[in-house]
Amino acid sequence: MSAQATALNLVMLGPPGAGKGTQAERFAHRYGVPKISTGDILREAVAAETELGVAAKQVMDAGRLVGDDIMIGIVAERLSRKDAAAGFVLDGFPRTVRQAEALDAMPDAQPLIVVDIVVPEATLVQRLATRRTCARCGYSALPAADACPKCGGELVVRVDDSAGVVRERLRVYHEQTAPIVEFYRGRPTFAAIDGTGTPDDVHAAICTAVAAAAGERA
Ligand code: AMP
């Protein structure tokens, strides 16, 4: 079997606050594949004040989505790099049906396994209202922590985690991102996961679902 046929190419879906970033990080660590977070890529561009960052900042701060063509270009380039050849975990992409269709057309992304982390809206709102994020490495920490448990960096409230922006991000999620769950749902390599348990529970459920999906496509 070719390396590509056995590659662990995972898409982590779910609304803001579902735990995609945390779970993507754990999965990436366990399977030795890169975590590719489009939100992190954009935040790095904002911090570095690149052309992309300057253009994306206002859109991100308002809780809306950066344009499809820009995001598709970023992901296609990132997936073409050597470190993603044996697999990757995508966090935050695709976010629209157009992005999902573009991902299906990228040879570097095949075959895909898709996991949707399902969490009730009230839990999401509560999680986002108390979320603290490391200003240095982007890690999501427990609100009670004094400093980032991973790198010691300062914990801050993400600009787009403020109450008004969270509402807008959830609205945008329902309008533009939730339809991609239906886009993928009929596939044998799609699984919906209960995201309300502990991070360990959710991680275990994801690993089980991915193993089943990888067997399904064999
Ligand atoms: P996240 O960290 O995934 O919540 O992303 C933070 C913000 O970055 C989002 O609210 C969007 O403004 C932008 N963003 C991240 N990924 C995408 C994407 N795939 N398409 C469009 N905008 C994105």
Side-chain angles (χ1 to χ4, degrees):
M1 214 185 287
S2 72
Q4 202 192 35
T6 55
L8 219 42
N9 301 332
L10 180 63
V11 169
M12 199 79 84
L13 292 181
K20 294 188 298 293
T22 302
Q23 292 300 331
E25 171 131 3
R26 291 185 66 154
F27 187 88
H29 185 73
R30 177 161 175 168
Y31 290 98
V33 295
K35 168 192 165 195
I36 301 174
S37 158
T38 45
D40 286 351
I41 292 171
L42 291 170
R43 278 184 289 276
E44 277 162 27
V46 170
E49 296 180 6
T50 63
E51 203 179 321
L52 166 68
V54 171
K57 184 173 181 345
Q58 276 196 342
V59 179
M60 293 172 73
D61 286 354
R64 291 196 291 274
L65 296 183
V66 174
D68 283 335
D69 290 335
I70 294 175
M71 299 313 302
I72 291 165
I74 289 174
V75 170
E77 187 281 324
R78 182 64 188 85
L79 295 187
S80 72
R81 290 194 218 162
K82 245 198 188 132
D83 69 334
F88 55 79
V89 47
L90 265 176
D91 157 27
F93 185 98
R95 253 188 166 90
T96 64
V97 171
R98 219 183 121 225
Q99 292 180 14
E101 286 168 348
L103 187 63
D104 271 350
M106 291 179 203
D108 290 324
Q110 312 313 317
L112 270 186
I113 295 173
V114 182
V115 161
D116 181 36
I117 306 180
V118 182
V119 175
E121 185 107 353
T123 310
L124 296 173
V125 171
Q126 204 228 341
R127 281 187 188 176
L128 291 167
T130 55
R131 174 155 86 172
R132 297 291 176 273
T133 306
C134 177
R136 196 189 296 161
C137 75
Y139 183 80
S140 274
L142 292 173
D146 290 331
C148 174
K150 230 179 115 190
C151 77
E154 187 193 357
L155 296 178
V156 297
V157 177
R158 250 171 67 171
V159 178
D160 59 351
D161 278 348
S162 66
V165 183
V166 162
R167 270 196 298 277
E168 177 64 5
R169 286 165 67 205
L170 289 169
R171 189 192 67 74
V172 167
Y173 170 80
H174 287 297
E175 187 183 288
Q176 302 193 56
T177 307
I180 56 182
V181 177
E182 301 319 312
F183 177 86
Y184 288 124
R185 197 183 295 280
R187 300 186 185 183
T189 53
F190 170 88
I193 301 288
D194 174 5
T196 58
T198 65
D200 282 348
D201 292 341
V202 179
H203 176 65
I206 289 172
C207 291
T208 303
V210 169
E216 194 59 51
R217 76 191 181 190

